[in-house]
Amino acid sequence: MTQIRAKTLELLDNLSDDKLIYVFNILQNLEAFSRIGESRETQPPKDAFSTLMKYSRSLPEDFDYKAELEAAREERYDSLS
């Protein structure tokens, strides 16, 4: 048995039952978090750039972004003038 394990068991032996419940809950949560972390490591990471590129499209050759921007501004902010 390692020293840290022996020291931990010694501390647990000295705790009262009402405090031992809290330690038990903490250990349960710690075990659940470790399982979540293991499941994340097995999943391949998503490549953000490739995900964004799925949504990319080409604009028409005659697309005038300045005119589109101006039309959108007029539509949205015309009521403020």
Side-chain angles (χ1 to χ4, degrees):
M1 186 180 317
T2 64
Q3 286 183 343
I4 189 77
R5 186 178 296 267
K7 184 69 175 167
T8 304
L9 291 175
E10 181 183 325
L11 288 170
L12 289 174
D13 285 339
N14 294 333
L15 283 178
S16 62
D17 285 344
D18 58 330
K19 292 181 181 177
L20 201 55
I21 292 171
Y22 297 116
V23 174
F24 179 74
N25 287 336
I26 291 169
L27 291 174
Q28 276 186 323
N29 291 334
L30 185 62
E31 183 182 19
F33 282 129
S34 69
R35 275 190 255 124
I36 290 170
E38 290 171 359
S39 67
R40 287 183 182 167
E41 290 173 6
T42 58
Q43 296 174 352
K46 290 185 177 181
D47 184 14
F49 181 73
S50 65
T51 303
L52 285 174
M53 291 308 292
K54 288 192 310 186
Y55 299 107
S56 70
R57 290 183 255 152
S58 298
L59 294 173
E61 291 288 329
D62 60 343
F63 183 75
D64 183 11
Y65 76 92
K66 289 181 181 179
E68 291 289 327
L69 181 60
E70 187 60 34
R73 282 182 181 151
E74 286 178 8
E75 180 181 324
R76 183 173 184 124
Y77 299 113
D78 190 42
S79 63
L80 297 177
S81 302

PDB file of all heavy atoms in Angstrom, residues 57-74:
ATOM      1  N   ARG A  57     -20.694  28.472 -49.536  1.00  0.00           N
ATOM      2  CA  ARG A  57     -21.216  28.442 -50.904  1.00  0.00           C
ATOM      3  C   ARG A  57     -20.543  29.547 -51.688  1.00  0.00           C
ATOM      4  O   ARG A  57     -20.016  30.505 -51.134  1.00  0.00           O
ATOM      5  CB  ARG A  57     -22.724  28.686 -50.905  1.00  0.00           C
ATOM      6  CG  ARG A  57     -23.512  27.542 -50.323  1.00  0.00           C
ATOM      7  CD  ARG A  57     -24.978  27.811 -50.430  1.00  0.00           C
ATOM      8  NE  ARG A  57     -25.430  28.170 -49.071  1.00  0.00           N
ATOM      9  CZ  ARG A  57     -26.440  28.940 -48.810  1.00  0.00           C
ATOM     10  NH1 ARG A  57     -27.131  29.477 -49.784  1.00  0.00           N
ATOM     11  NH2 ARG A  57     -26.791  29.210 -47.585  1.00  0.00           N
ATOM     12  N   SER A  58     -20.587  29.419 -52.977  1.00  0.00           N
ATOM     13  CA  SER A  58     -20.024  30.450 -53.844  1.00  0.00           C
ATOM     14  C   SER A  58     -21.094  31.492 -54.157  1.00  0.00           C
ATOM     15  O   SER A  58     -22.269  31.169 -54.332  1.00  0.00           O
ATOM     16  CB  SER A  58     -19.524  29.845 -55.153  1.00  0.00           C
ATOM     17  OG  SER A  58     -18.494  28.930 -54.899  1.00  0.00           O
ATOM     18  N   LEU A  59     -20.664  32.743 -54.211  1.00  0.00           N
ATOM     19  CA  LEU A  59     -21.580  33.813 -54.585  1.00  0.00           C
ATOM     20  C   LEU A  59     -21.578  33.971 -56.099  1.00  0.00           C
ATOM     21  O   LEU A  59     -20.607  33.627 -56.771  1.00  0.00           O
ATOM     22  CB  LEU A  59     -21.136  35.126 -53.935  1.00  0.00           C
ATOM     23  CG  LEU A  59     -21.232  35.165 -52.418  1.00  0.00           C
ATOM     24  CD1 LEU A  59     -20.596  36.442 -51.885  1.00  0.00           C
ATOM     25  CD2 LEU A  59     -22.683  35.093 -51.984  1.00  0.00           C
ATOM     26  N   PRO A  60     -22.665  34.491 -56.635  1.00  0.00           N
ATOM     27  CA  PRO A  60     -22.703  34.733 -58.078  1.00  0.00           C
ATOM     28  C   PRO A  60     -21.629  35.746 -58.479  1.00  0.00           C
ATOM     29  O   PRO A  60     -21.205  36.580 -57.678  1.00  0.00           O
ATOM     30  CB  PRO A  60     -24.096  35.302 -58.329  1.00  0.00           C
ATOM     31  CG  PRO A  60     -24.864  35.129 -57.078  1.00  0.00           C
ATOM     32  CD  PRO A  60     -23.915  34.843 -55.985  1.00  0.00           C
ATOM     33  N   GLU A  61     -21.203  35.675 -59.722  1.00  0.00           N
ATOM     34  CA  GLU A  61     -20.166  36.574 -60.228  1.00  0.00           C
ATOM     35  C   GLU A  61     -20.587  38.041 -60.148  1.00  0.00           C
ATOM     36  O   GLU A  61     -19.778  38.914 -59.874  1.00  0.00           O
ATOM     37  CB  GLU A  61     -19.833  36.229 -61.687  1.00  0.00           C
ATOM     38  CG  GLU A  61     -19.126  34.898 -61.854  1.00  0.00           C
ATOM     39  CD  GLU A  61     -17.693  34.940 -61.374  1.00  0.00           C
ATOM     40  OE1 GLU A  61     -17.068  36.012 -61.463  1.00  0.00           O
ATOM     41  OE2 GLU A  61     -17.212  33.907 -60.886  1.00  0.00           O
ATOM     42  N   ASP A  62     -21.874  38.307 -60.369  1.00  0.00           N
ATOM     43  CA  ASP A  62     -22.343  39.691 -60.396  1.00  0.00           C
ATOM     44  C   ASP A  62     -22.859  40.173 -59.033  1.00  0.00           C
ATOM     45  O   ASP A  62     -23.578  41.158 -58.943  1.00  0.00           O
ATOM     46  CB  ASP A  62     -23.436  39.852 -61.452  1.00  0.00           C
ATOM     47  CG  ASP A  62     -24.633  38.964 -61.167  1.00  0.00           C
ATOM     48  OD1 ASP A  62     -24.494  38.012 -60.370  1.00  0.00           O
ATOM     49  OD2 ASP A  62     -25.695  39.226 -61.737  1.00  0.00           O
ATOM     50  N   PHE A  63     -22.487  39.505 -57.959  1.00  0.00           N
ATOM     51  CA  PHE A  63     -22.935  39.874 -56.623  1.00  0.00           C
ATOM     52  C   PHE A  63     -22.281  41.188 -56.193  1.00  0.00           C
ATOM     53  O   PHE A  63     -21.066  41.342 -56.209  1.00  0.00           O
ATOM     54  CB  PHE A  63     -22.585  38.772 -55.618  1.00  0.00           C
ATOM     55  CG  PHE A  63     -23.075  39.059 -54.226  1.00  0.00           C
ATOM     56  CD1 PHE A  63     -24.414  38.933 -53.902  1.00  0.00           C
ATOM     57  CD2 PHE A  63     -22.199  39.465 -53.240  1.00  0.00           C
ATOM     58  CE1 PHE A  63     -24.860  39.194 -52.621  1.00  0.00           C
ATOM     59  CE2 PHE A  63     -22.640  39.731 -51.959  1.00  0.00           C
ATOM     60  CZ  PHE A  63     -23.980  39.591 -51.650  1.00  0.00           C
ATOM     61  N   ASP A  64     -23.105  42.142 -55.810  1.00  0.00           N
ATOM     62  CA  ASP A  64     -22.624  43.451 -55.379  1.00  0.00           C
ATOM     63  C   ASP A  64     -22.894  43.577 -53.877  1.00  0.00           C
ATOM     64  O   ASP A  64     -24.002  43.895 -53.456  1.00  0.00           O
ATOM     65  CB  ASP A  64     -23.344  44.557 -56.161  1.00  0.00           C
ATOM     66  CG  ASP A  64     -22.827  45.950 -55.815  1.00  0.00           C
ATOM     67  OD1 ASP A  64     -21.786  46.047 -55.129  1.00  0.00           O
ATOM     68  OD2 ASP A  64     -23.473  46.923 -56.227  1.00  0.00           O
ATOM     69  N   TYR A  65     -21.869  43.297 -53.083  1.00  0.00           N
ATOM     70  CA  TYR A  65     -22.076  43.290 -51.639  1.00  0.00           C
ATOM     71  C   TYR A  65     -22.402  44.684 -51.093  1.00  0.00           C
ATOM     72  O   TYR A  65     -23.121  44.812 -50.102  1.00  0.00           O
ATOM     73  CB  TYR A  65     -20.866  42.695 -50.915  1.00  0.00           C
ATOM     74  CG  TYR A  65     -19.663  43.601 -50.821  1.00  0.00           C
ATOM     75  CD1 TYR A  65     -19.482  44.433 -49.730  1.00  0.00           C
ATOM     76  CD2 TYR A  65     -18.705  43.624 -51.831  1.00  0.00           C
ATOM     77  CE1 TYR A  65     -18.393  45.264 -49.633  1.00  0.00           C
ATOM     78  CE2 TYR A  65     -17.611  44.449 -51.750  1.00  0.00           C
ATOM     79  CZ  TYR A  65     -17.446  45.265 -50.647  1.00  0.00           C
ATOM     80  OH  TYR A  65     -16.361  46.084 -50.551  1.00  0.00           O
ATOM     81  N   LYS A  66     -21.885  45.727 -51.738  1.00  0.00           N
ATOM     82  CA  LYS A  66     -22.170  47.084 -51.267  1.00  0.00           C
ATOM     83  C   LYS A  66     -23.653  47.408 -51.414  1.00  0.00           C
ATOM     84  O   LYS A  66     -24.273  47.993 -50.525  1.00  0.00           O
ATOM     85  CB  LYS A  66     -21.323  48.100 -52.016  1.00  0.00           C
ATOM     86  CG  LYS A  66     -19.859  48.033 -51.636  1.00  0.00           C
ATOM     87  CD  LYS A  66     -19.042  49.067 -52.371  1.00  0.00           C
ATOM     88  CE  LYS A  66     -17.569  48.961 -51.983  1.00  0.00           C
ATOM     89  NZ  LYS A  66     -16.734  49.926 -52.689  1.00  0.00           N
ATOM     90  N   ALA A  67     -24.241  47.018 -52.547  1.00  0.00           N
ATOM     91  CA  ALA A  67     -25.668  47.259 -52.762  1.00  0.00           C
ATOM     92  C   ALA A  67     -26.499  46.428 -51.780  1.00  0.00           C
ATOM     93  O   ALA A  67     -27.505  46.920 -51.238  1.00  0.00           O
ATOM     94  CB  ALA A  67     -26.046  46.921 -54.197  1.00  0.00           C
ATOM     95  N   GLU A  68     -26.105  45.188 -51.553  1.00  0.00           N
ATOM     96  CA  GLU A  68     -26.823  44.336 -50.606  1.00  0.00           C
ATOM     97  C   GLU A  68     -26.744  44.906 -49.191  1.00  0.00           C
ATOM     98  O   GLU A  68     -27.737  44.920 -48.460  1.00  0.00           O
ATOM     99  CB  GLU A  68     -26.232  42.916 -50.610  1.00  0.00           C
ATOM    100  CG  GLU A  68     -26.485  42.135 -51.872  1.00  0.00           C
ATOM    101  CD  GLU A  68     -27.937  41.723 -52.009  1.00  0.00           C
ATOM    102  OE1 GLU A  68     -28.608  41.453 -50.974  1.00  0.00           O
ATOM    103  OE2 GLU A  68     -28.413  41.654 -53.150  1.00  0.00           O
ATOM    104  N   LEU A  69     -25.576  45.390 -48.816  1.00  0.00           N
ATOM    105  CA  LEU A  69     -25.397  45.969 -47.493  1.00  0.00           C
ATOM    106  C   LEU A  69     -26.245  47.227 -47.326  1.00  0.00           C
ATOM    107  O   LEU A  69     -26.908  47.421 -46.299  1.00  0.00           O
ATOM    108  CB  LEU A  69     -23.919  46.290 -47.259  1.00  0.00           C
ATOM    109  CG  LEU A  69     -23.550  46.885 -45.913  1.00  0.00           C
ATOM    110  CD1 LEU A  69     -23.926  45.958 -44.767  1.00  0.00           C
ATOM    111  CD2 LEU A  69     -22.064  47.193 -45.884  1.00  0.00           C
ATOM    112  N   GLU A  70     -26.245  48.050 -48.334  1.00  0.00           N
ATOM    113  CA  GLU A  70     -27.043  49.279 -48.285  1.00  0.00           C
ATOM    114  C   GLU A  70     -28.535  48.966 -48.196  1.00  0.00           C
ATOM    115  O   GLU A  70     -29.269  49.591 -47.417  1.00  0.00           O
ATOM    116  CB  GLU A  70     -26.756  50.144 -49.513  1.00  0.00           C
ATOM    117  CG  GLU A  70     -27.405  51.503 -49.479  1.00  0.00           C
ATOM    118  CD  GLU A  70     -26.978  52.356 -48.295  1.00  0.00           C
ATOM    119  OE1 GLU A  70     -25.816  52.246 -47.867  1.00  0.00           O
ATOM    120  OE2 GLU A  70     -27.819  53.129 -47.796  1.00  0.00           O
ATOM    121  N   ALA A  71     -28.994  47.975 -48.954  1.00  0.00           N
ATOM    122  CA  ALA A  71     -30.409  47.590 -48.916  1.00  0.00           C
ATOM    123  C   ALA A  71     -30.773  47.047 -47.530  1.00  0.00           C
ATOM    124  O   ALA A  71     -31.849  47.357 -46.993  1.00  0.00           O
ATOM    125  CB  ALA A  71     -30.701  46.553 -49.990  1.00  0.00           C
ATOM    126  N   ALA A  72     -29.901  46.266 -46.942  1.00  0.00           N
ATOM    127  CA  ALA A  72     -30.167  45.718 -45.610  1.00  0.00           C
ATOM    128  C   ALA A  72     -30.192  46.826 -44.564  1.00  0.00           C
ATOM    129  O   ALA A  72     -31.030  46.815 -43.655  1.00  0.00           O
ATOM    130  CB  ALA A  72     -29.109  44.679 -45.258  1.00  0.00           C
ATOM    131  N   ARG A  73     -29.293  47.789 -44.695  1.00  0.00           N
ATOM    132  CA  ARG A  73     -29.278  48.907 -43.748  1.00  0.00           C
ATOM    133  C   ARG A  73     -30.561  49.723 -43.856  1.00  0.00           C
ATOM    134  O   ARG A  73     -31.148  50.121 -42.851  1.00  0.00           O
ATOM    135  CB  ARG A  73     -28.086  49.819 -44.024  1.00  0.00           C
ATOM    136  CG  ARG A  73     -26.798  49.275 -43.499  1.00  0.00           C
ATOM    137  CD  ARG A  73     -25.678  50.250 -43.761  1.00  0.00           C
ATOM    138  NE  ARG A  73     -24.420  49.741 -43.286  1.00  0.00           N
ATOM    139  CZ  ARG A  73     -23.255  50.043 -43.812  1.00  0.00           C
ATOM    140  NH1 ARG A  73     -23.165  50.888 -44.830  1.00  0.00           N
ATOM    141  NH2 ARG A  73     -22.151  49.526 -43.321  1.00  0.00           N
ATOM    142  N   GLU A  74     -31.007  49.990 -45.087  1.00  0.00           N
ATOM    143  CA  GLU A  74     -32.234  50.759 -45.274  1.00  0.00           C
ATOM    144  C   GLU A  74     -33.431  50.016 -44.707  1.00  0.00           C
ATOM    145  O   GLU A  74     -34.299  50.616 -44.064  1.00  0.00           O
ATOM    146  CB  GLU A  74     -32.449  51.060 -46.758  1.00  0.00           C
ATOM    147  CG  GLU A  74     -31.526  52.127 -47.303  1.00  0.00           C
ATOM    148  CD  GLU A  74     -31.725  52.358 -48.794  1.00  0.00           C
ATOM    149  OE1 GLU A  74     -32.680  51.795 -49.370  1.00  0.00           O
ATOM    150  OE2 GLU A  74     -30.923  53.108 -49.374  1.00  0.00           O
TER     151      GLU A  74
END
